């Protein structure tokens, strides 16, 4: 069993900062990639940032230069530092991880329950 738990969401004024955390726990052999997605009301879920096991990162154009993704492999944890937040960043942020539970298993995706980020103008 694998659990993915996010934390760190909340309400912040425009221009402020928040740091999201996501920890994967349970039977984990290896983690291929850890991603942050977000979904605003009435919109599709979109990839915000991702980081691979070799620390290769990717960002959505809308957050480049403002958000930074990082990971702590020893803790199976990924972070999203969000600076210069804008009202349009308001969404539920979801952690997604692709991992292998046991050495002989195929990789599969797991999702967290989401954490609300609200940016007021």
């Amino acid at each position: 069993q694998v659990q993915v738990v996010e934390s760190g969401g909340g309400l912040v004024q425009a221009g402020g900062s928040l740091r999201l955390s996501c920890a994967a726990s349970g039977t984990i052999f290896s983690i291929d990639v850890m991603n942050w997605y977000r979904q605003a009301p009435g919109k599709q879920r979109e990839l915000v940032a991702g980081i691979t096991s070799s620390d290769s990162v990717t960002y959505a154009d809308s957050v480049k230069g403002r958000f930074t993704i990082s990971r702590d492999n020893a803790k199976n944890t990924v972070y999203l530092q969000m600076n210069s937040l804008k009202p349009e960043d308001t969404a539920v942020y979801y952690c997604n991880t692709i991992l292998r539970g046991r050495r002989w298993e195929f990789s599969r995706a797991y999702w967290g329950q989401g954490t609300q980020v609200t940016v007021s103008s």
Side-chain angles (χ1 to χ4, degrees), residues 11-14 86-87 90 118-121:
L11 173 64
V12 64
Q13 288 188 334
K86 304 175 181 180
T90 296
T118 303
V119 184
S120 63
S121 58

Side-chain angles (χ1 to χ4, degrees), residues 35-76:
N35 301 306
W36 285 100
Y37 284 78
R38 67 186 180 187
Q39 187 166 20
K43 294 189 177 181
Q44 290 188 334
R45 191 172 297 189
E46 64 173 350
L47 177 66
V48 175
I51 184 167
T52 69
S53 57
S54 58
D55 288 336
S56 176
V57 299
T58 185
Y59 294 99
D61 288 342
S62 59
V63 307
K64 282 180 181 177
R66 300 187 298 122
F67 291 9
T68 302
I69 190 169
S70 61
R71 63 189 282 175
D72 183 333
N73 291 329
K75 297 180 179 180
N76 292 332

Side-chain angles (χ1 to χ4, degrees), residues 8 13 21 25 45 52 57 63 66 74-75 80 82-83 85 92 96 110 117:
Q13 288 188 334
S21 300
S25 62
R45 191 172 297 189
T52 69
V57 299
V63 307
R66 300 187 298 122
K75 297 180 179 180
L80 186 67
M82 305 185 294
N83 299 329
L85 282 162
V92 177
N96 160 265
Y110 295 85
V117 171

